[in-house]
Amino acid sequence: MTAPSTVLQLDHITRHRAGRAAVANLSLTLDSGQVLGLLGVNGAGKSTTLAMIAGALTPDSGAIKLNGKDFLEHPELAQRGIGWLPERAPLWPELTVLEHLDAHGRLRGLGGAALAKARQRIVERLELGSLSRRLAGVLSQGQRQRLGLACALLHEPSLLVLDEPANALDPVQVAALRAVIREQAAAGTAVILSTHLLAEVTAACDRVAILHEGQLRYDGPITDDDHKMLEQTFFDIALRGGDGNDKARAA
Amino acid sequence: MRVLAVTRLELRRLIVRPLAWVLAALTLAQLAWRFTLLLGGFLAGQIKLAALPGGPGYTDLVGVPMLSSILTGGILPFGVVELALVIVPLLTMSSLAGERSNGTLPLWFAAGLPASRIVLGKYLALMLWLVLWLALALAMPLSLSHGVTLDWGKLAAASLGALLTLAALAAIGVASSAYASHASIAATIALTVGLVLAGMNIAVQKAGATSGVFNWLALSGHLEDMLRGLVSLSDVAWFLLVIVVALALATQRLAAEKERG
């Protein structure tokens, strides 16, 4: 097994929205094979952070490094290095599932035999075969999410960014999603997922970062047994604006 | 290469949507009607015209009027250019405004594509559709080329004028789509700008004002010479200027959107 390397490095990134700091002075790193859960109440700055990491939004200040290279100076790094599933999987309703995969593959620099192979692999893995000719506009919410995930994974990125991926999924679909996340992590992909569900973090992540009012209040490892500690820390931060690291240490 | 990926995706979306097919069917049917009327007029006056030395021929009475009625008057049924003023805004309205309301615009940014490539890729797809449409419209007068004497040079110049007009209107449509929040607003802006550009010199003349600047600004002023078979560098430059400015504005708006979020 190869030693984990730093895939993502956020260095004091700040982003203002509607006159206030949606994300303020945020720094963190993420190693290959690590699954980081970004936790926070609605409006904490999770989606803004993930959009910046995915390259869809530019920070006002700070630096983002992907595999050691400045991502803001070289936005093309996002092409092959990052897979992103936004909160509501954005799809073109008039295109079929296969057409989506082809389009995403080409935009990410795949073509010819490599694209066909990647498409076949992802269709089999996410069981999209029966939906392949169906238009995205008629897919159910769960199927849309699965297609969005397929598009994010198609080009085998080194960093997978998932924004509330379990939203609107049934328990079976959630279990399948967790299995995919674990598989990706085992293959060395760094995964960052945002959620406001504590159970999602303890089940799928090996590290948690809690954002509150755009600031990082807690960052530490987590195991299946840490649910109680995480719950205390989260509520202390969300309701009382406490220092999560103090609370966690006490717990 | 990735510009072509954008073009391919946009073209695919254009093809699978019914709007492009409905517009193509309606406009080509209308152009076929215009063609039969023009051809009927040409055949009826053929003997009289043959007696005139240097009189107008098939190209002047059928070929060029198929492209525009600027020289001949009598707008209805519309020529290619007059139809383009209406259909190009409808075709271009969703190119960027549709992506915005769909929520798919951030996907383009996240793929590491600069705004200029997104705009250019989409513009090329629209131009491919419009070139095909123009070719089908030209196929009507050209279908009789074996039986009539065609002035190929004049028809080529007029076709170039029509093509540049389509290109300018498409660029204006893409720019409108970049600035508008909804496709319908984009179509309205593009239609208004197109109509103002096309008819500003006529409106100013009718108002009794001198129209030097307006003549230069007006699309019809630059198209007219090409329809007469005269291609001048300044006219071509005017069209290219409109295209470049419109696409640059669209690019700038898109880049600002990524910055602003």
Side-chain angles (χ1 to χ4, degrees):
Chain A
M1 192 173 164
T2 53
S5 57
T6 301
V7 173
L8 175 71
Q9 187 181 341
L10 303 185
D11 195 7
H12 302 288
I13 58 166
T14 297
R15 172 75 205 198
H16 287 84
R17 268 185 160 174
R20 69 177 191 94
V23 176
N25 207 26
L26 176 63
S27 297
L28 58 83
T29 58
L30 186 61
D31 291 343
S32 58
Q34 206 169 39
V35 183
L36 171 68
L38 200 56
L39 199 61
V41 293
N42 288 331
K46 304 187 297 290
S47 293
T48 305
T49 302
L50 295 193
M52 286 191 283
I53 293 170
L57 199 62
T58 313
D60 295 333
S61 62
I64 302 176
K65 284 182 181 168
L66 185 67
N67 295 315
K69 289 181 184 163
D70 195 323
F71 172 66
L72 300 175
E73 283 177 16
H74 306 280
E76 68 280 1
L77 290 173
Q79 185 196 2
R80 295 301 292 267
I82 298 174
W84 180 42
L85 173 62
E87 193 173 347
R88 264 181 238 103
L91 304 171
W92 295 283
E94 65 274 27
L95 296 189
T96 67
V97 167
L98 282 186
E99 285 169 343
H100 270 89
L101 294 175
D102 284 347
H104 275 268
R106 286 196 196 94
L107 287 174
R108 300 287 182 173
L110 294 176
L115 175 58
K117 198 175 158 190
R119 197 179 63 185
Q120 191 185 350
R121 177 183 55 79
I122 208 72
V123 165
E124 281 171 14
R125 176 61 194 90
L126 295 179
E127 297 169 9
L128 289 166
S130 60
L131 305 173
S132 59
R133 308 253 168 230
R134 206 173 285 182
L135 294 177
V138 300
L139 296 179
S140 70
Q141 188 58 38
Q143 290 166 339
R144 287 176 64 91
Q145 205 74 346
R146 220 174 344 143
L147 174 55
L149 185 62
C151 294
L153 289 171
L154 185 71
H155 55 293
E156 300 184 63
S158 56
L159 173 65
L160 183 60
V161 181
L162 307 172
D163 194 353
E164 314 234 2
N167 269 4
L169 297 184
D170 63 41
V172 176
Q173 290 169 331
V174 170
L177 173 72
R178 286 174 189 165
V180 171
I181 290 171
R182 276 193 290 267
E183 260 174 42
Q184 289 298 313
T189 308
V191 183
I192 179 165
L193 69 92
S194 83
T195 181
H196 50 259
L197 303 173
L198 300 173
E200 192 56 37
V201 174
T202 48
C205 306
D206 43 37
R207 198 179 128 201
V208 63
I210 301 179
L211 275 184
H212 187 64
E213 293 175 347
Q215 292 180 325
L216 184 66
R217 295 293 182 89
Y218 176 79
D219 183 1
I222 187 155
T223 65
D224 289 348
D225 306 325
D226 288 341
H227 189 88
K228 190 74 185 164
M229 179 278 290
L230 182 61
E231 195 175 64
Q232 283 179 349
T233 310
F234 180 70
F235 282 112
D236 178 53
I237 291 169
L239 299 176
R240 290 179 285 279
D243 180 340
N245 286 311
D246 284 352
K247 194 73 188 173
R249 276 193 294 274
Chain B
M1 274 307 282
R2 286 202 296 156
V3 172
L4 294 183
V6 179
T7 302
R8 200 166 166 167
L9 174 57
E10 187 66 13
L11 206 54
R12 181 73 198 147
R13 292 182 61 216
L14 211 54
I15 288 168
V16 296
R17 275 184 301 211
L19 179 69
W21 292 104
V22 170
L23 287 176
L26 288 176
T27 52
L28 288 171
Q30 198 264 196
L31 285 168
W33 176 32
R34 181 174 176 86
F35 176 61
T36 52
L37 290 179
L38 290 169
L39 188 63
F42 170 69
L43 291 174
Q46 206 175 16
I47 297 168
K48 211 187 294 175
L49 290 168
L52 295 171
Y58 178 79
T59 309
D60 301 293
L61 297 175
V62 182
V64 173
M66 272 297 285
L67 296 173
S68 174
S69 55
I70 288 180
L71 298 180
T72 54
I75 290 175
L76 278 171
F78 294 117
V80 166
V81 168
E82 290 77 28
L83 280 174
L85 286 170
V86 180
I87 69 155
V88 174
L90 293 174
L91 269 181
T92 55
M93 64 182 181
S94 301
S95 59
L96 290 165
E99 299 275 5
R100 194 173 289 118
S101 52
N102 230 3
T104 42
L105 205 49
L107 280 183
W108 298 97
F109 300 140
L113 279 163
S116 57
R117 290 194 191 172
I118 301 172
V119 168
L120 192 61
K122 284 176 171 280
Y123 178 68
L124 286 177
L126 290 160
M127 279 312 296
L128 277 174
W129 192 96
L130 289 169
V131 166
L132 190 65
W133 180 68
L134 178 63
L136 288 170
L138 278 171
M140 293 178 211
L142 287 176
S143 63
L144 297 180
S145 61
H146 62 281
V148 295
T149 309
L150 257 177
D151 185 340
W152 287 101
K154 188 179 274 185
L155 191 62
S159 302
L160 177 67
L163 180 65
L164 287 171
T165 304
L166 294 180
L169 292 175
I172 290 166
V174 170
S176 307
S177 194
Y179 279 88
S181 53
H182 293 284
S184 53
I185 298 171
T188 310
I189 295 171
L191 181 70
T192 309
V193 173
L195 287 174
V196 168
L197 268 184
M200 69 163 73
N201 53 344
I202 299 162
V204 170
Q205 273 167 8
K206 282 193 174 167
T210 50
S211 56
V213 176
F214 292 102
N215 260 340
W216 185 84
L217 282 174
L219 186 150
S220 50
H222 301 276
L223 179 62
E224 219 173 291
D225 283 345
M226 290 196 189
L227 293 174
R228 288 200 173 92
L230 186 71
V231 178
S232 75
L233 204 59
S234 64
D235 289 333
V236 174
W238 182 88
F239 281 107
L240 293 179
L241 188 68
V242 171
I243 294 165
V244 169
V245 167
L247 294 183
L249 284 172
T251 301
Q252 193 238 357
R253 176 68 178 83
L254 216 55
E257 193 155 336
K258 187 184 173 187
E259 291 287 324
R260 212 173 48 229

